Amino acid sequence: MPTRWADNDHYGHVNNVTYYSYFDTAVNAWLMDATGVDTRELPALGVVAQTSCQFLGSISFPEMLHVGLRVSRLGRSSITYDLAIFRAVDEEPELVATGVFVHVYVDADTRKSIEIPEIIRTAASTLVID
């Protein structure tokens, strides 16, 4: 994932809130790729219920990033993802941030909590780490 020109703040590094955008993009892009469907068109939507980020290093535009993703909890109506952002370098990638991202599935019309759609559950189960 590339950093973008607008990601930098006045201090010359990627602003903290931008990391949450990277998390959101990584999770949703992976879901669409893994399921082969546009998840926005499912009768259940994954809405973000919780996020957190621990910053371990600084990045800035222009840098290329790698985002690691795993599922630490696959519940009835929610999925907890653990993420890691690495600076892409020629040698060993450098860890710059870790985070948690929780999707809760809701009915697209009523916005009431419902079970995770089977197509999402099947894909997410491939990333479950004990």
Side-chain angles (χ1 to χ4, degrees):
M1 176 181 302
T3 58
R4 303 162 301 181
W5 176 266
D7 292 348
N8 281 12
D9 63 17
H10 289 287
Y11 297 124
H13 64 261
V14 170
N15 188 270
N16 62 314
V17 300
T18 306
Y19 288 75
Y20 295 99
S21 174
Y22 297 154
F23 293 164
D24 214 349
T25 298
V27 168
N28 287 293
W30 178 81
L31 280 171
M32 288 183 182
D33 184 62
T35 62
V37 300
D38 185 338
T39 56
R40 298 171 297 176
E41 296 176 3
L42 293 174
L45 304 174
V47 295
V48 178
Q50 178 184 342
T51 59
S52 65
C53 185
Q54 181 177 12
F55 305 98
L56 304 168
S58 182
I59 54 177
S60 65
F61 175 84
E63 290 194 64
M64 191 60 94
L65 309 174
H66 292 291
V67 181
L69 180 65
R70 72 179 181 185
V71 171
S72 59
R73 182 178 178 282
L74 183 56
R76 183 193 72 79
S77 63
S78 66
I79 303 173
T80 302
Y81 297 93
D82 293 335
L83 295 105
I85 297 178
F86 298 87
R87 171 183 287 114
V89 291
D90 292 336
E91 311 86 47
E92 182 138 344
E94 178 187 347
L95 181 63
V96 295
T98 60
V100 174
F101 184 96
V102 179
H103 259 164
V104 172
Y105 281 84
V106 298
D107 181 274
D109 296 324
T110 67
R111 297 296 201 247
K112 301 273 188 205
S113 178
I114 62 172
E115 288 190 29
I116 299 166
E118 194 55 40
I119 193 166
I120 300 291
R121 178 175 294 286
T122 299
S125 70
T126 66
L127 293 183
V128 172
I129 304 296
D130 292 328

